[in-house]
Amino acid sequence: MASIENVNKAMPETHSNQQQQHQQLSTDPGYFPQTAATGPTQTVVVDAPKLPFRDQVIADAKIIRGTLLGQKDTKEHGQKILAGELPAREPKRKMTEDVGVDSRV
């Protein structure tokens, strides 16, 4: 029983020594050099025009297809769609009388 009491008495001293060492280090000006040297930072967020979800899926599919099949032009086309340089889909064509369908037949 005497040895357990000795251990219990020794533990608070060890713990207090560690606390003193930590306090000494944390008050040392060289302990946190990055904190003292840097100031507040400013973050600038620029909203890019958002691509519709359907177009994002089309672009991602082209990138994946081009990567897997080794088609560099397909992959680049998908990247250009994501960048907003090319449309994902061709505009719908309107049926007109000039298409060449002869209704007199």
Side-chain angles (χ1 to χ4, degrees):
M1 294 289 262
S3 62
I4 293 176
E5 290 175 7
N6 290 340
V7 170
N8 287 339
K9 289 179 182 176
M11 284 183 66
E13 291 175 12
T14 306
H15 185 65
S16 65
N17 287 341
Q18 288 175 353
Q19 284 180 335
Q20 288 175 353
Q21 288 176 352
H22 179 67
Q23 287 174 351
Q24 288 173 353
L25 287 174
S26 63
T27 56
D28 181 22
Y31 186 68
F32 297 109
Q34 292 295 328
T35 306
T38 60
T41 59
Q42 182 179 7
T43 304
V44 177
V45 178
V46 177
D47 290 332
K50 187 169 181 173
L51 197 62
F53 179 74
R54 182 176 179 178
D55 294 347
Q56 289 178 6
V57 172
I58 291 171
D60 288 337
K62 285 187 177 287
I63 292 170
I64 292 169
R65 185 182 310 121
T67 302
L68 292 176
L69 299 177
Q71 298 173 344
K72 188 177 178 182
D73 57 333
T74 304
K75 183 177 178 180
E76 289 174 356
H77 186 241
Q79 291 170 341
K80 288 180 181 180
I81 292 171
L82 283 179
E85 298 173 10
L86 294 175
R89 298 169 277 163
E90 292 292 325
K92 291 183 179 181
R93 294 183 187 174
K94 294 182 179 179
M95 296 297 290
T96 63
E97 294 179 17
D98 296 333
V99 175
V101 177
D102 192 7
S103 60
R104 292 181 282 167
V105 177

